[in-house]
Amino acid sequence: RVLMLRNCEAIYNANPDFVAYGRSGFKGYAVFGFSKKNIYVLESVFPNNATYVLGEDWETISKLSKAEILSQNLHKSRIVHSKNWETEFKNMLEGI
């Protein structure tokens, strides 16, 4: 729970345009939209998951299963929940 709050706070502090909540394969995920950068960050409210970064077709892609997204390489980035998460998230934002 602490990691989820830390992750959501870090994403929110990056000033997303909007926040929404996922369904289907991403039930239990919050979606943080950064429209100007064309990135959409999906963060799980459950432990032992990952943060997914999607592009412009995020609404369609987020309806797929995580396995489909990974196997078809439809994500821009995937950040596994770990002690290095915050550094990896910041690096991802700077790289876009």
Side-chain angles (χ1 to χ4, degrees), residues 6-91:
R6 176 206 66 184
N7 295 357
C8 285
E9 185 174 299
I11 299 167
Y12 191 78
N13 286 340
N15 299 312
D17 302 314
F18 68 87
V19 179
Y21 297 96
R23 292 188 233 160
S24 302
F26 282 93
K27 186 174 182 179
Y29 275 77
V31 180
F32 296 83
F34 297 87
S35 303
K36 292 176 184 159
K37 291 186 175 189
N38 194 32
I39 61 169
Y40 303 88
V41 179
L42 284 70
E43 177 59 38
S44 177
V45 298
F46 300 111
N48 303 317
N49 276 295
T51 303
Y52 290 83
V53 181
L54 305 178
E56 64 187 47
D57 201 16
W58 72 272
E59 289 182 89
T60 302
I61 295 170
S62 67
K63 293 175 185 172
L64 302 173
S65 71
K66 290 180 239 179
E68 290 172 310
I69 291 168
L70 292 171
S71 70
Q72 296 176 45
N73 200 30
L74 299 173
H75 58 294
K76 289 187 172 208
S77 182
R78 179 176 178 260
I79 306 168
V80 176
H81 291 169
S82 70
K83 64 181 180 177
N84 298 324
W85 182 93
E86 197 163 2
T87 300
E88 291 181 39
F89 176 73
K90 286 178 183 177
N91 290 340

